[in-house]
Amino acid sequence: MRPLPELTAENTAFWTGGARGQLMIAFCDHCQNAIHPPQVICPACQSRHVGPRAVEGSGTIYTYTVNHQPWMPGMVVPFAIAVVDVDGARGVRVTAPVTGCEADAVKIGQRVRIAFEPSGEVWLPLWMPLERTAA
Amino acid sequence: MKAAITGTGMSDIGRNTGRPAILHLADAADRALARAGLTLADIDGICTYPGKADNSPGMSPLGTGEVRNALGLQTRWHAAVPDGPAQMAPIMAAAMAVMTGQARHVLCFRALTESSSQSAGRRASIPGAGRAEIGGWLSWLVPVGAMSASNWAGWMATRYFHEFGMTREHLGLVALAERQFAQMNPAAVMQKPLTMDDYLAARMISTPLGLFDCDIPIDGAAVVIVSAGDAAKDCRLPPLRIEALGSALRSQETWDQRADLTTMGAHDAAADLWARTAFKPADVDVLGLYDGFSIFVPLWLEALGFCGHGEAKDFIAEGNIAHGGRFPVNTGGGQMSGGRLHGFGLLHETCLQLWGHAGARQVADAKTALCAMGGGFIAGAMLINRD
Ligand SMILES: [Zn+2]
């Protein structure tokens, strides 16, 4: 079984936002800095006024890999894992498996939209390709 | 007076040796002490990375406690360094310890039994496997399917290929160069020839990295003795002066958030190293560069300024890092053909080169070496030199 993230004050909004279909990113209320992985202190201005906000849930693939090795029994391969620049959250990348296309069809620059699958109380993110590809 | 390396030793490393880690460690210590001309009674400090840990099978079976007890050491200073520049951290901590008078001769070690442990448990090198929950930086990787460091290195390689036109063949040259060196090193675990066809035909692990882009889990141990500058004069071999160290990190500790993933923590650490010395890359005779995955070698070459950003593929294709090249890298076969001792094997080999003990693969009159460890946000670099 794949381990799930330990839920903390910092990360609970991110890992449970999927229940409402929302990608939740931490933002600083003082300087509007987007913070990922989420923290309760803004590293840019040291403000403690930091909280989660829902972003659009779209993004652009910065890089990816196609995993071919079954690392544990029952693991279905191959699958792609994409590192995605998230729209509306400058400097934030969200990394997740790609679903909805063949693993070898994944490309850098591809536009994607977030989806979620529940596992216990956690909602794990997935990226789904959109038609349009960024330049 | 700068700290120095006065002895190194490695056990008879192998796959599925079935030997307890402490026996590998004791062999490595014996060999390092013999090289240094010291005895256990001279050792008054001990340091390791990361300390005893079971987060991945056989990853670190020994802490300072097990080794102190087995070797009967009476120490004035002991520490394990799980954070920081990882594999290089105990060497750096030891250098600082001897320079502040905490100890004179520090035994630094790394022991692994990943080969036996993985075979026995039929488990791959997966951090957190078997646990229900995972915290820290791994919690942003393992739960989303990025379970293996090959996935994380794969992201960097994919982006680097995209930006700079590197191909699998370029990384293949790194693997082939290491295998050629391994065939000149009886201690290396892989002795069979490796051709580009073999490399390209091997099964994919995590694109664009295939089987021969990955290092090899082994059982074994290595010991590096770091001594005070004045103490080193009493040792048997020329002391290898620790000319400069670098471990700067200017991004957060993640594998996916660094703004430019065609660079690593290596770039921050390397810049800091060169800021601390009058030496230049052209002064370097031989290198040990971390090669947990082949892509780390070109990234370290660029980080250290041996070529420009995006130029490593040509630098490698010109033969610079291979046997007979201007800047031979991982002359013992590296971790991809020699076996994964988490950087300590690479450091052992560069020290052998500076002492003229590298046998058939000896780089003529090597006096200055650069050893760099880590990938992703983990990075530590060291320049060593003898008179
Ligand atoms: Zn702020």
Side-chain angles (χ1 to χ4, degrees):
Chain A
M1 243 231 3
R2 192 193 293 177
L4 293 173
E6 210 169 73
L7 293 182
T8 65
E10 289 89 343
N11 71 21
T12 298
F14 179 89
W15 291 115
T16 59
R20 301 177 310 279
Q22 290 180 323
L23 178 58
M24 303 298 291
I25 298 295
F27 282 85
C28 173
D29 292 334
H30 180 69
C31 76
Q32 311 307 318
N33 181 34
I35 304 162
H36 195 75
Q39 305 185 154
V40 295
I41 297 175
C42 173
C45 77
Q46 291 297 295
S47 168
R48 270 69 163 168
H49 296 285
V50 170
R53 298 179 200 167
V55 295
E56 190 57 35
S58 55
T60 304
I61 293 179
Y62 172 78
T63 191
Y64 66 94
T65 188
V66 179
N67 179 75
H68 287 259
Q69 176 76 14
W71 298 103
M72 41 180 54
M75 187 181 232
V76 178
V77 292
F79 60 91
I81 315 162
V83 178
V84 171
D85 287 321
V86 172
D87 293 348
R90 194 161 175 264
V92 168
R93 300 203 185 107
V94 168
T95 294
V98 181
T99 186
C101 72
E102 293 296 319
D104 60 10
V106 173
K107 295 281 178 285
I108 285 175
Q110 189 165 14
R111 295 283 296 157
V112 288
R113 162 155 283 286
I114 200 84
F116 298 93
E117 62 174 353
S119 182
E121 54 184 331
V122 163
W123 289 70
L124 295 168
L126 300 162
W127 288 112
M128 300 195 46
L130 291 169
E131 296 272 315
R132 192 168 59 83
T133 294
Chain B
M1 188 170 282
K2 294 190 173 180
I5 294 173
T6 53
T8 70
M10 188 189 278
S11 72
D12 292 341
I13 65 171
R15 308 179 84 171
N16 290 314
T17 64
R19 294 183 80 208
I22 193 68
L23 294 182
H24 280 288
L25 189 284
D27 288 351
D30 284 347
R31 291 169 188 181
L33 289 165
R35 256 197 194 91
L38 297 171
T39 70
L40 280 176
D42 296 310
I43 298 297
D44 58 358
I46 185 167
C47 196
T48 189
Y49 157 85
K52 189 172 167 65
D54 61 357
N55 58 335
S56 173
M59 153 76 177
S60 187
L62 301 176
T64 60
E66 287 79 8
V67 178
R68 289 184 73 265
N69 291 349
L71 301 185
L73 294 177
Q74 298 184 17
T75 49
R76 297 172 70 206
W77 178 77
H78 66 284
V81 197
D83 288 344
Q87 305 88 357
M88 190 65 91
I91 310 292
M92 301 179 83
M96 291 187 271
V98 297
M99 291 179 77
T100 56
Q102 309 308 304
R104 276 176 77 76
H105 298 289
V106 181
L107 187 153
C108 300
F109 71 91
R110 185 83 184 91
L112 295 115
T113 52
E114 290 188 303
S115 180
S116 292
S117 301
Q118 291 176 18
S119 299
R122 299 190 171 280
R123 282 170 58 190
S125 179
I126 296 302
R131 265 189 261 162
E133 289 188 340
I134 195 164
W137 56 269
L138 284 166
S139 71
W140 300 97
L141 301 168
V142 175
V144 292
M147 310 195 75
S148 162
S150 65
N151 301 141
W152 322 335
W155 296 327
M156 288 189 278
T158 299
R159 185 71 200 188
Y160 190 98
F161 279 28
H162 174 80
E163 289 196 24
F164 300 115
M166 182 180 260
T167 65
R168 296 249 308 135
E169 282 80 355
H170 293 110
L171 293 183
L173 291 174
V174 178
L176 265 54
E178 292 199 355
R179 183 59 61 88
Q180 194 189 358
F181 279 126
Q183 292 179 279
M184 291 182 262
N185 177 13
V189 292
M190 302 301 280
Q191 295 288 339
K192 283 192 303 188
L194 180 71
T195 68
M196 187 58 83
D197 286 345
D198 297 334
Y199 169 85
L200 292 170
R203 72 175 195 274
M204 193 54 69
I205 301 295
S206 190
T207 61
L209 306 176
L211 183 65
F212 293 116
D213 294 298
C214 306
D215 64 0
I216 300 171
I218 48 93
D219 302 336
V223 162
V224 175
I225 299 173
V226 175
S227 301
D230 64 327
K233 285 182 306 216
D234 308 330
C235 293
R236 195 170 72 84
L237 294 173
L240 308 180
R241 203 159 42 92
I242 299 179
E243 166 63 23
L245 295 161
S247 64
L249 179 60
R250 306 193 189 284
S251 59
Q252 49 173 340
E253 300 191 16
T254 71
W255 280 82
D256 54 359
Q257 305 295 318
R258 189 178 174 94
D260 181 356
L261 280 185
T262 67
T263 72
M264 310 193 289
H267 292 64
D268 305 341
D272 220 37
L273 176 135
W274 292 122
R276 291 189 163 117
T277 178
F279 281 73
K280 301 282 178 236
D283 298 319
V284 173
D285 300 309
V286 60
L287 294 92
L289 300 183
Y290 201 76
D291 58 343
F293 301 98
S294 57
I295 184 66
F296 292 161
V297 171
L299 294 183
W300 267 116
L301 285 168
E302 294 182 2
L304 288 160
F306 286 88
C307 57
H309 194 194
E311 295 173 2
K313 66 181 200 299
D314 300 321
F315 187 83
I316 290 165
E318 286 157 11
N320 283 298
I321 69 167
H323 180 58
R326 170 65 184 83
F327 297 105
V329 172
N330 297 345
T331 56
Q335 300 191 164
M336 297 193 294
S337 281
R340 167 165 75 225
L341 262 171
H342 268 147
F344 268 58
L346 309 178
L347 178 55
H348 170 68
E349 172 69 13
T350 53
C351 292
L352 291 186
Q353 287 284 358
L354 298 197
W355 285 318
H357 292 181
R361 58 198 190 279
Q362 181 65 47
V363 174
D365 199 32
K367 283 186 171 161
T368 304
L370 215 158
C371 190
M373 302 187 198
F377 68 84
I378 300 160
M382 174 166 60
L383 187 70
I384 49 178
N385 139 281
R386 69 163 168 88
D387 292 332

